[in-house]
Amino acid sequence: MNFEGFEATIDLHGERIEEGIERLERFLDQAMLSSENEVKVIHGHGGGRLKSAIRAYLNRSPYVAASHPGEPWEGGDGVTIVTLKSDR
């Protein structure tokens, strides 16, 4: 199953942690089904709680091979770039 037109970026800034993680889980499911190699998670800076929760979740996710804060031209520390596992 392929999700044509899948957007490889999700904007979660302003979300509550629980809802943001739920949306991120669904997004990663779709990314894997769409055979994406890399996705961008926008979470903003804020107080840092959402960013920390998202990064902790990504470290545990079975879909994630690696993740890192965005480069300045990608959105800096307000985004996380995620490399997905290729063993699908």
Side-chain angles (χ1 to χ4, degrees), residues 73-85:
W73 63 88
E74 296 171 309
D77 198 40
V79 306
T80 299
I81 306 300
V82 180
T83 303
L84 298 172
K85 290 183 178 176

Side-chain angles (χ1 to χ4, degrees), residues 43-58:
H43 41 65
H45 297 287
R49 290 181 40 219
L50 179 61
K51 173 173 53 177
S52 294
I54 286 172
R55 289 181 175 169
Y57 172 79
L58 292 170

